[in-house]
Amino acid sequence: MRCNSLVLLCALLTSAVHAQATATTATVVRSAPDGKLVATMHAGASLKTGATKSAWTAVTIEGFLHKSVVSAKKNAITIDAPSGAALRASAESSAPVVAVIENGVSVDRVSASGEWYRVKRDAWVQTRELKLPKVTVAASAPARKTAAPSAPQKVAALPPRTAPAAAPAPAAAPTPAPPAAPQRTDALALGDFAASHPIVLRDAPDGKTAGSADSAARVRIVARDHGWARVELQGWVRESELVPVDSSSVSAVSAADLRSDPDHYKGSTVRWVVQTIAVQQADPLRKGLSPEEPYLLARGPGSESSLLYLALPAALVANAKALQPLSNILVLARVRAGRSEPSGVPILDVLRIVPR
């Protein structure tokens, strides 16, 4: 009996160390605590957890990568996609995106099948970004208590009298619980950003140090000035040090994907590297753009040669005009039309521009 107890205890400890957790938001994954950015997990994605260190938890992310976004040598696989590579839940282009892995990051190959690699990567995330399971340990406690047959028999003799009074109470209890989850995701409004690593806040661009922000701290940009962003923390940071907090953003989608299935991708947010051509104003021939609406004519994403119409909000027109022609930029943009008439060029609403 004592041996069985020890076996059960070991099993519980093993499950606690290697439990499946869920990313509660768009979660930044790093090579080490406060280390190099490895990937961004999508909200709701699951990952295996391991040891903890201070405010960090070791994790293993697993999924499938298409061979077109990696360079492979035996079991060594490196991401070869300027805008990052989509890690999917299964070996299908339509499978849900688990995470976006950064360009140049290496992963371990588990297996290969057709055009897909199954891969994994050990990394670290901040524990507060994870929803850790509690049912594994909690479920084991009642199992021991119900082992004695006498206790249930005594309780079973009472329900005929108490059941009518107890029935209404459970019916009212479940209603308040469900709203709690949506409130957490609603807090991540479009336009929020996360620090890509611990950052220094300054009182002005290139100014004196005014404070600091922890890695993955959420901020909102309220002003921009020549590569600097003023955030709600009342300081200035380099805009290149921020990553968008938007769990719906995708990087592996191409312009060809938008044109082939425009209704599916309408409203989606993409994170692309594109080549600038010129800032122009829309004429009546540009269907899908308002008359004289400013837009950035660009080519891409990545090595793709497709023309793109990147509609510019007033706040970003000056920034776009300051870009050198044929320079590469990172854009965060929402799909307005995957295929405009009559040219078939995709139209996207620009949310952010980052020179590279």
Side-chain angles (χ1 to χ4, degrees):
M1 184 70 95
R2 189 171 183 180
C3 181
N4 291 338
S5 299
L6 289 173
V7 171
L8 178 61
L9 178 60
C10 290
L12 289 173
L13 290 175
T14 301
S15 64
V17 172
H18 299 286
Q20 288 292 127
T22 303
T24 57
T25 64
T27 302
V28 175
V29 182
R30 300 188 178 280
S31 59
D34 284 323
K36 182 181 178 181
L37 179 63
V38 169
T40 304
M41 298 292 296
H42 280 206
S46 62
L47 61 171
K48 186 182 295 183
T49 62
T52 59
K53 183 178 181 181
S54 186
W56 295 81
T57 296
V59 298
T60 301
I61 58 176
E62 297 186 55
F64 294 82
L65 290 172
H66 194 268
K67 291 184 176 180
S68 63
V69 296
V70 303
S71 60
K73 294 181 180 179
K74 295 184 178 180
N75 290 333
I77 295 180
T78 304
I79 304 303
D80 187 12
S83 297
L87 182 71
R88 298 187 181 274
S90 60
E92 299 176 309
S93 298
S94 59
V97 176
V98 177
V100 175
I101 305 180
E102 295 296 308
N103 187 39
V105 170
S106 61
V107 294
D108 297 324
R109 183 174 72 173
V110 178
S111 61
S113 177
E115 295 298 309
W116 295 85
Y117 288 118
R118 183 172 184 176
V119 301
K120 67 177 182 178
R121 167 74 193 224
D122 294 331
W124 292 81
V125 302
Q126 289 196 323
T127 305
R128 67 187 181 193
E129 303 292 344
L130 299 175
K131 181 180 180 182
L132 299 172
K134 298 180 180 179
V135 292
T136 304
V137 178
S140 63
R144 295 180 185 179
K145 292 181 180 179
T146 55
S150 58
Q153 291 174 357
K154 291 181 181 179
V155 175
L158 298 175
R161 297 179 182 177
T162 58
T175 46
Q183 290 175 358
R184 177 76 184 258
T185 53
D186 289 346
L188 293 177
L190 188 64
D192 285 354
F193 292 83
S196 60
H197 56 80
I199 53 178
V200 175
L201 300 175
R202 302 183 183 276
D203 58 5
D206 283 320
K208 296 180 180 179
T209 301
S212 62
D214 190 13
S215 61
R218 268 49 174 176
V219 297
R220 173 157 295 188
I221 295 177
V222 295
R224 291 180 169 87
D225 185 3
H226 295 86
W228 289 81
R230 185 172 179 85
V231 297
E232 279 188 344
L233 291 175
Q234 297 304 311
W236 289 84
V237 300
R238 289 195 178 278
E239 193 169 2
S240 59
E241 295 180 312
L242 301 177
V243 293
V245 177
D246 181 6
S247 61
S248 66
S249 64
V250 290
S251 300
V253 173
S254 66
D257 293 329
L258 300 188
R259 291 193 300 270
S260 64
D261 195 355
D263 292 335
H264 176 74
Y265 291 107
K266 185 177 181 179
S268 298
T269 306
V270 298
R271 181 173 174 256
W272 280 351
V273 174
V274 301
Q275 186 181 54
T276 65
I277 298 177
V279 175
Q280 300 181 352
Q281 286 189 316
D283 55 42
L285 296 178
R286 304 291 187 267
K287 305 297 184 182
L289 290 166
S290 302
E292 299 186 355
E293 181 178 10
Y295 69 94
L296 176 63
L297 181 63
R299 191 185 304 275
S303 59
E304 196 172 355
S305 59
S306 173
L307 287 177
L308 305 169
Y309 297 153
L310 305 180
L312 296 166
L316 293 179
V317 172
N319 288 8
K321 288 183 176 179
L323 297 171
Q324 292 294 325
L326 304 181
S327 61
N328 290 327
I329 61 171
L330 175 68
V331 294
L332 184 70
R334 188 183 295 111
V335 178
R336 181 190 297 187
R339 185 178 62 237
S340 64
E341 297 298 337
S343 61
V345 176
I347 301 176
L348 300 94
D349 291 297
V350 176
L351 306 172
R352 182 188 174 204
I353 296 175
V354 180
R356 292 175 69 84

